[in-house]
Amino acid sequence: MPEVTPTPGNGGKSTENRLVLTRPDDWHVHLRDEEMLTSVLPDTARRFARGMIMPNLDPPVHTLAEACAYRNRILAAAQSKGLSFEPLMTLYLTDHTTPEEIRRAKKSGFVYAVGEVFLTGATTNSAFGITGFARCEPVFSAMEETRLPLLLHGEVTDPEVDLFDRERLFIEQYLTPIVERFPGLKIVLEHITTREAVEFVCGAPDTVAATITAHHLLLNRNAMFVGGLSPHHYCLPVLKREHHRQALLAAAISGNSKFFLGSDSAPHPRPAKESACSCAGIYTAHAAIELYAEAFDEVMALDRLEAFASFHGPDFYGLPRNSDTITLEKRSWVVPEEMHLEKATIVPLRAGGTVAWRLVE
């Protein structure tokens, strides 16, 4: 069990079948753009007050001007649906990002991090990612100076490395030296998947935190092979062995403020997921907080969900906690087999199956 750092809070108000939580935030979400953005944004905005918006569009959002334009498109999409939602923007780190761009981003007031940072080839739309970390040191110095956090997709991309070892080796080869070289740099290891990642974050300085997804709390790697190959359970980092899932769950319910909610909800059109080279990503925004409630409920830890979902993230980023609430009801519902958008179809997690908790609108 990870070391526990208790977080002040009431744990959410609950009865046997209802749970009232301070409205949570999603600290790692992919909204895409254009028609996809307009279609998927309501799922996130109904559940979360704020979202840390990942910048790996095609082409990616790597300048302040591009982040401003993308933010305006998100706000316009929310307004068109009558939704209140605050996008927290990020910049995509490339080999050409400059310290001056980092300082401008910090001064903007709407860019909250740099990331999700990829080594080239790590995941969807990562072709523009960095080719190595050594050349990024001037940028890391500027981020340390301005207190702009670094969000890392923690996988090496060496084709000789076993897929299931990529996170562990990233921590050993890259993350440990970065933490030692830049002790004041705030770092979030995104969507962690292994016991080694949990142990590293627990033992790291307070400047290091991690997000955990609902699908990594609920599924192990067997899910990719149920009924044959299941492309809709394919994500990066990939699902891992059961003992890693148990370590993630222990971290999430521990009360340790270094761990918080980041859904990594990633919509892809059905043909892209079911192609010979399947896109990596699982769409969970349709039931994001409900799936977390299910994971916590299964280990009788619902009283720990509010801190994980609503307090730890804003506390780490130095932002105020939300003042309004959401209500969940323990009443199962059937997830649609498909979500039909104007120009695409998405297969969500649990398609055709049930989720045990429901958001009370």
Side-chain angles (χ1 to χ4, degrees):
M1 176 72 73
E3 178 184 351
V4 174
T5 304
T7 301
N10 60 15
K13 299 176 181 177
S14 63
T15 62
E16 183 178 352
N17 293 311
R18 289 175 77 89
L19 178 64
V20 179
L21 301 172
T22 300
R23 184 175 291 275
D25 302 298
D26 189 342
W27 295 100
H28 186 118
V29 63
H30 298 269
L31 295 179
R32 309 305 186 202
D33 209 350
E34 300 177 341
E35 187 260 343
M36 183 76 80
L37 163 64
T38 303
S39 298
V40 304
L41 176 62
D43 281 344
T44 292
R46 290 190 186 104
R47 293 162 176 83
F48 303 104
R50 298 170 290 205
M52 190 66 75
I53 310 302
M54 295 300 109
N56 56 324
L57 305 181
D58 186 11
V61 177
H62 68 276
T63 68
L64 180 59
E66 290 166 350
C68 182
Y70 187 27
R71 177 176 181 268
N72 288 338
R73 296 196 296 275
I74 295 170
L75 291 172
Q79 184 177 21
S80 72
K81 301 288 187 177
L83 299 167
S84 176
F85 179 72
E86 182 180 359
L88 308 177
M89 307 309 295
T90 62
L91 295 186
Y92 187 106
L93 185 67
T94 74
D95 287 343
H96 307 292
T97 302
T98 65
E100 291 72 29
E101 190 73 6
I102 295 299
R103 295 186 181 97
R104 286 192 293 268
K106 178 65 176 181
K107 289 179 180 178
S108 73
F110 60 81
V111 173
Y112 288 85
V114 173
E116 173 188 7
V117 175
F118 310 93
L119 287 169
T120 302
T123 189
T124 304
N125 294 343
S126 63
F128 298 92
I130 61 174
T131 55
F133 285 99
R135 67 178 60 199
C136 298
E137 290 200 354
V139 170
F140 291 165
S141 292
M143 294 172 65
E144 186 177 37
E145 167 198 326
T146 59
R147 303 292 287 171
L148 195 65
L150 174 66
L151 315 184
L152 290 172
H153 180 113
E155 292 190 287
V156 299
T157 55
D158 184 340
E160 299 299 316
V161 172
D162 188 289
L163 179 67
F164 294 97
D165 292 332
R166 285 166 52 162
E167 183 174 274
R168 176 179 60 81
L169 291 178
F170 179 90
I171 293 169
E172 295 174 5
Q173 296 177 10
Y174 297 106
L175 182 54
T176 298
I178 292 172
V179 172
E180 293 174 351
R181 176 74 176 82
F182 301 95
L185 177 60
K186 300 190 81 171
I187 297 172
V188 181
L189 187 57
E190 299 292 341
H191 42 53
I192 61 172
T193 63
T194 61
R195 181 173 59 191
E196 290 83 0
V198 169
E199 292 171 349
F200 177 84
V201 172
C202 286
D206 290 342
T207 51
V208 178
T211 58
I212 305 177
T213 76
H215 49 279
H216 286 109
L217 290 177
L218 290 165
L219 302 173
N220 62 34
R221 67 186 188 178
N222 287 344
M224 293 188 289
F225 306 102
V226 173
L229 289 174
S230 176
H232 300 288
H233 287 146
Y234 172 55
C235 57
L236 287 173
V238 296
L239 302 168
K240 301 297 196 300
R241 289 179 180 271
E242 175 64 12
H243 74 269
H244 292 299
R245 187 188 75 85
Q246 292 290 339
L248 297 178
L249 191 54
I253 69 172
S254 69
N256 189 326
S257 60
K258 290 184 171 191
F259 300 100
F260 43 86
L261 185 157
S263 74
D264 195 22
S265 179
H268 291 284
R270 183 167 197 157
K273 288 293 293 177
E274 297 179 354
S275 66
C277 184
S278 176
C279 289
I282 298 177
Y283 187 70
T284 58
H286 65 293
I289 190 62
E290 300 95 315
L291 290 166
Y292 281 105
E294 189 175 292
F296 277 62
D297 192 21
E298 285 181 355
V299 290
M300 297 179 287
L302 280 174
D303 60 321
R304 303 295 183 92
L305 178 59
E306 185 178 49
F308 174 82
S310 308
F311 298 158
H312 295 172
D315 292 353
F316 179 82
Y317 281 98
L319 295 173
R321 298 174 180 180
N322 298 314
S323 57
D324 59 333
T325 62
I326 63 169
T327 300
L328 300 177
E329 183 178 35
K330 192 170 186 179
R331 182 160 58 96
S332 65
W333 56 283
V334 178
V335 178
E337 293 278 359
E338 298 178 329
M339 295 174 57
H340 297 283
L341 314 183
E342 183 178 334
K343 298 178 181 178
T345 297
I346 296 173
V347 178
L349 185 64
R350 294 276 179 87
T354 61
V355 175
W357 287 81
R358 177 190 295 267
L359 178 71
V360 178
E361 298 281 2

